[in-house]
Amino acid sequence: MAYTDHRTMRRVLHREVAGTIGLLADEHDFRAMRRYDSFVFDDHTTYLKHVEAVLRTRALQGGHTTVALFDPEDYAEYCAETGLDPDSHTSRARFTAALASTGPTVPYDGRPLADLLPSLVDEAVRQATWEYAAQVLARLGTCATCGEDLGRAAFTRASHLLVRILDTAPPGDLHLVCSVSGPPEALIAVLHADDIAGRMELDESEAREFTTVLAVGLATGSPGGLVMRTSEPGSPDRVHGWRLRAHGLEPLTAGEVFDAYCTDAESGDLISPEPNVDYCEPPDLGEGPNPARHH
């Protein structure tokens, strides 16, 4: 009887142990791992089926599992830095545990792996974008005139502008997109804000990433834009936009917003406007003149 009780208690505790599985999302990464003898899979499709089976089994047993993006190059660097043998199950497990606290992850929620993978890749892109944008801000240094930290000043300015956008937005759920052009490629950040009884609720991580990308555009003067789409039941969606300018936002006219949305970015050809969408001039942010530029 005591033995049965011990087993029961251990099963209960097992359900409370959270786990992380490192996923090789594409064929390229999968082939890179096949150079290790301890990695026994020969086919990526079969590998994904086994991963999905493990995830389903853990979920049925009441376990919580997060899925992390396993990068073979990062894994090799991790093993070199820590002195671990890369051709080892234990080393892969330790690297995956480290990913749980530092890398992009998504919780397994019962969705098919084919549906979960895009979310995981999007999360990885978001984190990489934020890390790069944060590095850009950190490298800006201080203003030659006043000595203020340029990255911190730009982030503060971007935070203020985001608050003004949220405060002046028409009623409804918001979908914001900020894009900043420049080498090596464009930075894009997305922010969702839900209108709950007149109060905006948003994800703190999304807000931080969005503000950081906006700050890069403000600080560097790179070409870019910010688009806001508001959605409210029973009404057409409304689309507003601004150009990024050094330390500020310049509102687009309704015609400019229409042109931006109804022109193919690659070919320049006109495309049909979306049904049930109004293209509008953005609300007045009440900003007045932009603050003096730093140098």
Side-chain angles (χ1 to χ4, degrees), residues 58-137:
R58 283 183 54 83
L60 289 172
Q61 293 173 346
H64 174 78
T65 311
T66 56
V67 184
L69 208 58
F70 194 105
D71 186 296
E73 292 185 7
D74 290 346
Y75 171 64
E77 291 178 5
Y78 173 83
C79 290
E81 292 172 356
T82 57
L84 295 175
D85 176 13
D87 196 357
S88 164
H89 301 284
T90 303
S91 299
R92 288 196 290 275
R94 288 183 59 176
F95 176 68
T96 300
L99 286 178
S101 59
T102 62
T105 62
V106 295
Y108 177 68
D109 54 9
R111 280 181 290 170
L113 203 54
D115 296 336
L116 192 70
L117 267 175
S119 298
L120 182 57
V121 173
D122 287 346
E123 182 63 25
V125 170
R126 276 181 52 197
Q127 181 166 321
T129 298
W130 173 74
E131 289 175 351
Y132 176 76
Q135 290 173 3
V136 171
L137 293 179

Side-chain angles (χ1 to χ4, degrees), residues 149-195:
D149 183 285
L150 295 176
R152 187 177 297 113
F155 190 88
T156 300
R157 176 68 176 150
S159 300
H160 170 74
L161 288 171
L162 178 57
V163 169
R164 293 301 305 146
I165 290 171
L166 296 175
D167 285 347
T168 59
D173 296 337
L174 302 183
H175 178 81
L176 301 171
V177 179
C178 180
S179 60
V180 178
S181 302
E185 57 187 27
L187 298 176
I188 298 176
V190 177
L191 176 61
H192 305 274
D194 296 326
D195 187 350

